[in-house]
Amino acid sequence: MRPQQVSASAWFVQGLSALGSPANQNFISNAGFVITRDGVVVIDALGSPALAERLLAEIRRRTDKPVTHVILTHYHADHIYGLQVFKSAGAKIIAHQAAREYLASDTARLRLEASRTELAPWIDANTRLVQPDVWLAGPTDLEVGGVQLQVRPVGPSHTPEDLAIYLPGERVLFAGDLVFRNRIPYVGQADSRHWIGALDQLLAFGATAIVPGHGPLSTEARKDMELTRDYLLHLRRVMGEAAKNMEPFDDAYKAADWSRFQAMPLFGVANRMNAYNTYLLMERETP
């Protein structure tokens, strides 16, 4: 975990292009932090309490200011299982209110139960889901120590509760999982049509640096969003045609041309699932 400085105030740590495992402590996503004269704002909390402790230690090597806020880009496990560390340190947790349903769901509970086995000892009986202190319903501006952060809903896209965080004074955008770099995106139950539209929202910020949810820093916004956008478009085109023609999924998947994407990390473990979820989505969208 080596924090990289993005601008005068903004930093981030980059997770691995891998599946979460005991060997990597579930360090598979990025997290950011913004150091101001009055305190530190953290963006996402990483995938285990141990990782969050390491991140907090790295922050303290750079400033003695307290962590005042944690803003969650979304409620996927690799971004939230470290929350309890920051909560115990006194931070106020901020998230979009669309995450309420997920937090109350069997899906969230069962995912945590499974993680206690699959990611032991880093996820254990003491790891818990943390409710936000502040639920956002719309665009919000937050100022901490003279640094302005624009918190903007960009979902439903990757998840219903996606948030992007922009520092206008430094032109830095924390894009969450709307942007994946150097690996196949995780589509899951995403609304890919809105996700593609949300990428245009991100471009409209005019950021000179984008911290993605996964992968290295981007300094060429339009170019570096192309992989995510083009992959989603390809999924929708191929699976949409299959759904429209009532073609069986297995046949459509085998016939599709995946050559542009198959060399990307995690293609083998994620692409078929992404395609199947998109197939089901396109069935619902098809008149």
Side-chain angles (χ1 to χ4, degrees):
M1 187 182 291
R2 298 182 181 90
Q4 303 172 47
Q5 189 164 10
V6 180
S7 65
S9 304
W11 300 69
F12 88 108
V13 296
Q14 181 182 330
L16 305 171
S17 290
L19 296 178
S21 69
N24 61 35
Q25 300 181 21
N26 207 26
F27 188 27
I28 61 171
S29 63
N30 299 344
F33 56 96
V34 179
I35 300 174
T36 82
R37 65 172 182 257
D38 294 337
V40 181
V41 179
V42 171
I43 297 157
D44 287 341
L46 299 177
S48 65
L51 289 173
E53 292 281 8
R54 289 168 58 191
L55 178 57
L56 187 56
E58 293 292 345
I59 292 170
R60 286 173 172 160
R61 288 189 180 99
R62 288 157 179 84
T63 180
D64 61 359
K65 302 300 182 183
V67 176
T68 58
H69 301 80
V70 178
I71 306 172
L72 294 176
T73 62
H74 63 296
Y75 253 93
H76 278 173
D78 53 319
H79 297 260
I80 65 164
Y81 281 170
L83 269 178
Q84 63 198 64
V85 171
F86 293 106
K87 181 69 174 175
S88 296
K92 181 181 294 185
I93 314 301
I94 301 172
H96 192 277
Q97 65 177 7
R100 290 179 188 270
E101 183 177 349
Y102 174 76
L103 271 177
S105 70
D106 286 340
T107 300
R109 177 181 58 81
L110 293 172
R111 176 67 184 271
L112 179 56
E113 288 179 5
S115 295
R116 286 171 175 149
T117 299
E118 296 166 359
L119 297 172
W122 309 108
I123 306 297
D124 60 18
N126 294 317
T127 308
R128 66 185 189 277
L129 296 172
V130 177
Q131 294 273 347
D133 299 291
V134 178
W135 291 108
L136 300 184
T140 300
D141 290 343
L142 176 70
E143 186 172 328
V144 180
V147 177
Q148 185 183 21
L149 298 95
Q150 297 176 348
V151 185
R152 299 293 184 261
V154 285
S157 299
H158 180 68
T159 66
E161 68 270 12
D162 294 307
L163 291 175
I165 299 92
Y166 184 54
L167 279 60
E170 301 175 29
R171 297 183 68 186
V172 174
L173 175 66
F174 291 89
D177 279 9
L178 265 70
V179 178
F180 285 70
R181 290 198 69 214
N182 293 4
R183 59 156 284 190
I184 286 292
Y186 170 69
V187 175
Q189 303 299 316
D191 186 329
S192 55
R193 179 173 58 186
H194 288 169
W195 187 346
I196 292 165
L199 293 175
D200 291 330
Q201 287 182 255
L202 297 187
L203 286 170
F205 282 109
T208 57
I210 296 177
V211 178
H214 298 262
L217 181 72
S218 166
T219 56
E220 298 180 274
R222 187 170 298 276
K223 177 182 176 182
D224 288 334
M225 288 185 196
E226 284 181 355
L227 172 66
T228 302
R229 183 202 63 192
D230 291 355
Y231 179 68
L232 295 173
L233 286 170
H234 186 68
L235 284 176
R236 289 179 60 83
R237 182 168 55 251
V238 172
M239 294 296 109
E241 190 68 22
K244 180 180 177 181
N245 296 333
M246 294 185 288
E247 183 180 355
F249 169 75
D250 286 338
D251 294 346
Y253 187 81
K254 290 175 184 176
D257 179 6
W258 303 108
S259 57
R260 179 179 174 188
F261 309 103
Q262 62 190 9
M264 299 297 295
L266 298 182
F267 177 89
V269 297
N271 190 64
R272 185 181 179 87
M273 175 185 63
N274 288 344
Y276 183 66
N277 286 332
T278 304
Y279 180 85
L280 297 179
L281 174 67
M282 300 309 293
E283 280 189 322
R284 294 193 296 271
E285 289 187 14
T286 299

